[in-house]
Amino acid sequence: DAIVVDELSSFKNWNSKRFKSLMKVRPKAKRVIGLTGTPSGNGLMDLFAEFKVLDMGQRLGRFITKYRQDYFRPDRMNGQVVYSYKPLPGAEKRIYDKISDITISMKAADHLKMPELVSSEYRVYMEEPERAIYDEMCEDLAAQLDKGEVTAANAGVLSGKLSQMANGAVYTDDGDVEHVHDQKLDALEDILEEANGEPVLLTYRYQHERDRIMARFPQAVQLKDSETIAAWNAGEIPLLLLHPAGAGHGLNLQDGGHIVVWFGPIYDLELWEQTIDRLYRQGQKHTTSVIVLVAEGTVEEDAMRSLDAKADGQAAMMEAIKARVNKYKRGVA
C-alpha cells in the first residue's frame, strides 16, 4: 500500500509511458514518497507531473493545461506554436506555498562531511578559417563543407550543429563526419598533462567526439558495463569516457577519481548535476574538480548561461522549502 519513487524527476514528463503506467496503479497506494536531487532541473514545469504522482493533483491540479494557465505565460512562440513558457509574476512563491506541506529539502553538504567542489571553464579559440565555417552556419543555417552540406531546418537543429562545430566536428546531411578543428583535443591534452597521472572522467555528446577522443588518446576507455566501473574504481583506467545520458542515477564512480572534464557544456541541468554527482558524492575523499571546455563566442556560452539560470532557479526552490523545514524544527509551523 506504499510506493517509494527513487529519482522522482524521471517521472516529470506527463506524456511518458512510465508516468501513465504509474498513475494507473497510483490510487491503490495510501502513501507515496518521492526522492530526487533535481526536482526542477529544467524549470518549474517539471513539478506538475512529479507532484501529481505524489498527491493525484491535489496541489498543482489534475491537468497540465490548467497548471500552465495558472502559473505561466507563453515565452518563445512561432505563430500559435508555443516552444517554452515563463512563470507569471509571483508564480514561484505560489507554487512553493502549494507544495511546501509535503516537501522537505536537505543538501548533502549540510548533513555530510563533503570535500570542496571547484568548477572552472577552460576557454578554447577557433582560428579564422574555423570561425568562418561556424559563422556561415550561424547566419545562413547552412554550410558547404568538403564532405557535403550541413543544413538546419529550425533553431533546435541549428543549435545542435553549432554545438558540434564548437567541439571540432559536425555531421553532414549525408551522415558523414566533417572535421572542423582540434582546439578542444589540444586543450584536453593540456588538462591531462596538468592532472599529472590522476584519473579523469570525460563526458562527450556525439559519437564523432568519442571517436576523435579515442583516436587521440589511446588510454581512453568508454564506460560500458559493471566491469568497466570496477576497473575505474580500482584506479586502472586513466581516462574514462561517459555520455551524460548514460551516467545513471546512483552510479558510484567516486572511488576512481575526482576530476570531471566536460568536452562541451549541455543545456540539461539534471544530466549535468547527476553526471557530476557520480564523483562528488558520499565517500569522495578529495576536492572534486569540474572543468568545462568552452569555445569562445559560440552557443556553448549560451549553454553555460542557461545552466547557471536553471541552477539558480532550482536553488531558490530548495532554499524556499528548506526554510519551511527550519520552521518545523523551531516549532513555528
Side-chain angles (χ1 to χ4, degrees):
D1 62 353
I3 300 173
V4 179
V5 185
D6 193 12
E7 296 304 338
L8 180 64
S9 57
S10 64
F11 288 84
K12 65 187 177 186
N13 183 353
W14 55 90
N15 277 321
S16 67
K17 289 182 179 179
R18 68 171 59 190
F19 174 79
K20 293 176 180 178
S21 297
L22 179 57
M23 292 309 295
K24 288 180 182 178
V25 298
R26 171 61 183 85
K28 299 178 182 294
K30 297 177 182 177
R31 182 176 179 83
V32 179
I33 299 171
L35 311 168
T36 178
T38 50
S40 56
N42 293 303
L44 295 172
M45 197 67 74
D46 290 352
L47 298 179
F48 170 76
E50 295 172 8
F51 277 86
K52 189 171 181 180
V53 167
L54 298 179
D55 67 5
M56 299 288 287
Q58 291 180 30
R59 288 163 181 79
L60 298 182
R62 295 175 55 208
F63 303 104
I64 184 62
T65 304
K66 183 70 164 59
Y67 180 64
R68 286 185 185 136
Q69 291 174 348
D70 289 348
Y71 300 104
F72 301 87
R73 62 176 173 79
D75 184 19
R76 292 173 51 244
M77 300 179 63
N78 183 5
Q80 297 298 313
V81 179
V82 181
Y83 291 109
S84 65
Y85 290 85
K86 196 171 186 177
L88 291 167
E92 289 184 39
K93 185 178 185 307
R94 289 193 291 131
I95 291 173
Y96 298 159
D97 288 345
K98 287 278 189 180
I99 65 175
S100 63
D101 65 317
I102 60 167
T103 310
I104 60 172
S105 165
M106 293 179 288
K107 278 188 166 185
D110 294 337
H111 301 275
L112 302 173
K113 189 173 182 180
M114 297 289 289
E116 190 178 4
L117 178 65
V118 179
S119 300
S120 61
E121 293 183 16
Y122 193 115
R123 294 277 169 155
V124 302
Y125 304 87
M126 288 189 281
E127 302 289 346
E128 285 189 18
E130 303 156 1
R131 169 62 65 176
I133 296 173
Y134 181 93
D135 290 343
E136 179 186 357
M137 187 71 204
C138 194
E139 293 170 9
D140 301 336
L141 275 70
Q144 187 62 48
L145 305 176
D146 292 341
K147 293 186 178 180
E149 191 175 23
V150 179
T151 59
N154 53 55
V157 175
L158 177 63
S159 178
K161 295 296 185 182
L162 293 176
S163 293
Q164 291 180 55
M165 288 181 170
N167 282 343
V170 63
Y171 288 116
T172 67
D173 293 351
D174 294 329
D176 294 321
V177 178
E178 179 75 32
H179 174 266
V180 180
H181 66 81
D182 286 331
Q183 308 297 344
K184 289 204 171 181
L185 291 175
D186 294 341
L188 181 57
E189 189 169 325
D190 291 341
I191 291 171
L192 294 178
E193 188 174 332
E194 291 172 9
N196 198 27
E198 290 287 342
V200 171
L201 178 66
L202 175 64
T203 73
Y204 68 92
R205 288 181 62 190
Y206 301 96
Q207 289 186 16
H208 60 65
E209 293 175 11
R210 178 202 62 194
D211 295 342
R212 289 168 55 235
I213 291 167
M214 296 188 79
R216 179 76 168 261
F217 305 98
Q219 72 271 34
V221 176
Q222 184 181 358
L223 179 60
K224 292 182 178 179
D225 50 33
S226 58
E227 291 183 4
T228 312
I229 295 172
W232 162 263
N233 282 327
E236 299 170 1
I237 298 177
L239 181 59
L240 182 65
L241 301 187
L242 172 71
H243 192 286
H249 295 95
L251 191 63
N252 295 307
L253 301 174
Q254 69 272 20
D255 292 334
H258 55 92
I259 302 173
V260 183
V261 177
W262 291 81
F263 201 67
I266 60 176
Y267 284 88
D268 192 313
L269 178 65
E270 180 177 3
L271 289 182
W272 178 269
E273 293 189 342
Q274 288 290 346
T275 301
I276 293 172
D277 285 349
R278 297 315 97 213
L279 298 189
Y280 186 67
R281 60 195 296 112
Q282 191 172 9
Q284 178 58 257
K285 300 178 177 63
H286 306 281
T287 296
T288 303
S289 177
V290 179
I291 305 169
V292 192
L293 298 179
V294 179
E296 182 83 10
T298 69
V299 290
E300 295 192 325
E301 293 181 333
D302 298 332
M304 292 303 297
R305 284 192 290 268
S306 175
L307 282 172
D308 289 341
K310 290 176 181 178
D312 289 344
Q314 181 157 270
M317 175 192 171
M318 295 293 206
E319 193 59 34
I321 303 302
K322 182 180 174 182
R324 178 80 177 179
V325 175
N326 290 337
K327 286 182 181 179
Y328 276 114
K329 286 181 178 178
R330 293 195 301 268
V332 176

